[in-house]
Amino acid sequence: MTDANKPQRISTIRRRSLLLGAGSLGASGLVSARLGMPYIGNAAAAEPIKIGMIWAKTGSIVDQSEYLAQGGMLALEQRNNTLLGRPAEIVWLDEPNPQGAQQNAERLVGEHKVVGMVGGALSSFALGISAVAKKAKIPYVAANAATGDLTGKSCNKYTFRLQPPVEVHVRALAPYCGEIGKKWYLLTAAYAFGQDIKKAFEAYAKANGITIVGADEVPVGTPDYSSFILKIRAAKPDVVIGGVAASDLTTFLKQWNELGMRGRIPFAEISVGNTDLWGVGPEAADGLYTLTWYYKNPNNPPEEQAMAAAYEKKYNRPAADKAWMGWFGMKSLLDAIEAAKSTEPGAIVAALEKWQVKRGDLDVHYRDFDHQMVNRLLIASIKPKITDKWDYFDIKAELPKTQGDIDKAFGSQAESACKMDAL
């Protein structure tokens, strides 16, 4: 077993590692947050409740995963590291690749006896974890993955997804791209997330009189985008639609700027992370995006504002959207365990299906027929002049606006590819 695959208890933060609060590296290797508890006579009742967390510790998605993991840890810390009156701890394992994510999900269930899991930074990772959740009958919250299959044809009773699927992001962003111009170039990653983006934008273009003047699929971890950028320049599109994630987006935008394309052809992408643009820097940042959450959105509910303040106090930097996603996904699972008054998987699943919180005028919840969370997205552009190294975005809209728009964007049960199984 490599060090990257071992569960860890970490007390200091580094570039590629995560501050996980109190505790030090112990023989068990668990991420543990045991506080002083009154004496519990029943030894079984005193056993800690374990929650599995699978976020990357290595690879191209690690910068986002750091925030996702920190948000998840914060959600448990805000409960004084207890659930159902018992100590609670998080076991955090790596997701080095899709196979590794699946294997570590199996370890969480088999070795660590977790009662639920949160994770899956990339869609391919989340699909692997979801398959384990279904087989092992363990509730799983996919807090970041956006592929439609997760709550579509690959849905299952034990998997819940926080991130709106690609189609919802596209329905929000595509009209803005259409206003820019009717000639689009697609540059998407060669895995589930990028392929879903390509398919959805092509469908929108066909239905709305837009011409795709070029399309490229690029491998994850591509170090040099110059040949793709030269093809885009030659095609002269009105807008470039991106579908590359995390550090790949950072690499592309830096090279886009270096080759003099920033400001010449507008760039747009769905489901971007704050860390992607922070990595680009204010000189090269550019584009129009959908965001799942933004720390400076004045419409954030009081509980989320308090979370952002607690996060910034602890880590001395603003909460990225991924910190919120890790926190919100973990919060929903912890809420469900408390509501179920049980660690029995079926009871937790039933509680997740009934879970909801108020965000403005919207009741945010997981739909019972496909376990997709219903929530709004932000349309944001890069500020013309960035004066704060963290504050890059101007929020243009929060969509879908009305309940009717939400129902249309997320689709109905009749339109869903999900055929939900039983417990």
Side-chain angles (χ1 to χ4, degrees):
M1 184 188 305
T2 65
D3 288 343
N5 283 333
K6 293 179 181 178
Q8 300 177 11
R9 196 189 304 180
I10 301 171
S11 58
T12 57
I13 188 167
R14 301 181 297 276
R15 170 75 177 159
R16 297 294 182 187
S17 62
L18 180 63
L19 178 64
L20 296 177
S24 59
L25 186 64
S28 68
L30 296 179
V31 175
S32 177
R34 303 185 187 190
L35 299 185
M37 294 288 293
Y39 174 76
I40 301 174
N42 186 321
E47 279 295 308
I49 296 172
K50 297 177 183 178
I51 308 296
M53 191 167 70
I54 305 181
W55 298 121
K57 299 179 183 182
T58 55
S60 65
I61 200 74
V62 73
D63 286 342
Q64 288 191 7
S65 293
E66 180 177 299
Y67 285 89
L68 288 158
Q70 287 172 341
M73 293 301 298
L74 182 60
L76 185 59
E77 290 169 12
Q78 289 178 323
R79 296 171 185 267
N80 295 321
N81 302 292
T82 62
L83 285 171
L84 304 177
R86 293 163 54 186
E89 60 190 30
I90 287 174
V91 185
W92 176 29
L93 299 185
D94 194 11
E95 46 180 5
N97 49 51
Q99 183 181 14
Q102 186 166 343
Q103 290 171 343
N104 279 338
E106 291 169 349
R107 288 184 57 210
L108 287 173
V109 175
E111 296 177 24
H112 301 291
K113 311 301 181 186
V114 299
V115 303
M117 298 185 291
V118 177
L122 293 178
S123 293
S124 55
F125 300 169
L127 288 167
I129 300 167
S130 177
V132 174
K134 178 179 179 179
K135 181 179 179 181
K137 300 185 183 299
I138 292 293
Y140 162 52
V141 176
N144 191 52
T147 180
D149 286 351
L150 202 60
T151 50
K153 68 180 184 180
S154 298
C155 73
N156 67 73
K157 193 69 171 177
Y158 292 89
T159 295
F160 296 77
R161 192 250 294 281
L162 182 152
Q163 172 85 273
V166 165
E167 291 84 354
V168 177
H169 283 272
V170 170
R171 288 166 188 159
L173 186 62
Y176 287 86
C177 298
E179 290 175 4
I180 296 172
K182 301 296 184 181
K183 295 189 298 181
W184 294 357
Y185 198 108
L186 307 182
L187 183 74
T188 55
Y191 72 103
F193 173 68
Q195 290 159 357
D196 281 0
I197 292 175
K198 182 175 184 287
K199 181 180 177 181
F201 272 104
E202 284 177 339
Y204 183 92
K206 184 176 180 180
N208 290 275
I210 291 163
T211 302
I212 305 296
V213 297
D216 288 308
E217 291 191 32
V218 296
V220 174
T222 294
D224 185 358
Y225 285 89
S226 59
S227 62
F228 299 108
I229 293 172
L230 292 175
K231 288 176 66 177
I232 292 169
R233 186 165 66 187
K236 299 180 180 179
D238 296 319
V239 59
V240 177
I241 308 294
V244 291
S247 61
D248 286 336
L249 176 60
T250 303
T251 300
F252 170 79
L253 287 176
K254 284 181 176 180
Q255 294 176 12
W256 183 252
N257 178 61
E258 290 165 1
L259 290 173
M261 297 303 294
R262 180 177 182 268
R264 289 180 58 180
I265 300 175
F267 179 84
E269 177 156 344
I270 67 163
S271 190
V272 72
N274 299 157
T275 55
D276 303 336
L277 276 300
W278 291 341
V280 172
E283 298 80 11
D286 191 25
L288 181 68
Y289 303 99
T290 59
L291 307 176
T292 308
W293 185 84
Y294 194 51
Y295 77 102
K296 280 205 168 183
N297 180 8
N299 294 328
N300 289 338
E303 186 179 19
E304 296 179 16
Q305 294 181 29
M307 179 279 294
Y311 181 94
E312 187 161 3
K313 181 179 180 181
K314 181 167 185 174
Y315 294 107
N316 198 33
R317 60 184 182 186
D321 60 311
K322 302 303 180 185
W324 174 83
M325 292 165 77
W327 173 82
F328 204 51
M330 183 65 76
K331 169 183 161 56
S332 70
L333 178 59
L334 302 181
D335 284 349
I337 293 170
E338 293 283 7
K341 296 181 172 58
S342 172
T343 58
E344 195 277 317
I348 299 172
V349 167
L352 278 167
E353 290 181 334
K354 295 176 182 176
W355 176 87
Q356 69 175 32
V357 295
K358 200 81 171 178
R359 299 192 74 235
D361 63 344
L362 181 65
D363 289 323
V364 175
H365 64 283
Y366 295 107
R367 301 192 298 191
D368 58 2
F369 68 84
D370 64 355
H371 292 175
Q372 170 63 54
M373 182 182 285
V374 175
N375 205 349
R376 290 193 174 102
L377 292 167
L378 303 175
I379 305 295
S381 59
I382 298 297
K383 289 177 177 291
K385 185 175 182 181
I386 297 170
T387 57
D388 181 330
K389 69 176 182 177
W390 304 110
D391 185 15
Y392 277 39
F393 294 108
D394 281 330
I395 305 301
K396 302 174 71 69
E398 198 162 351
L399 301 173
K401 289 184 178 180
T402 69
Q403 187 61 54
D405 290 340
I406 290 169
D407 293 342
K408 183 177 180 181
F410 280 85
S412 66
Q413 183 172 359
E415 296 169 314
S416 175
C418 175
K419 306 300 179 186
M420 186 59 73
D421 50 8
L423 288 172

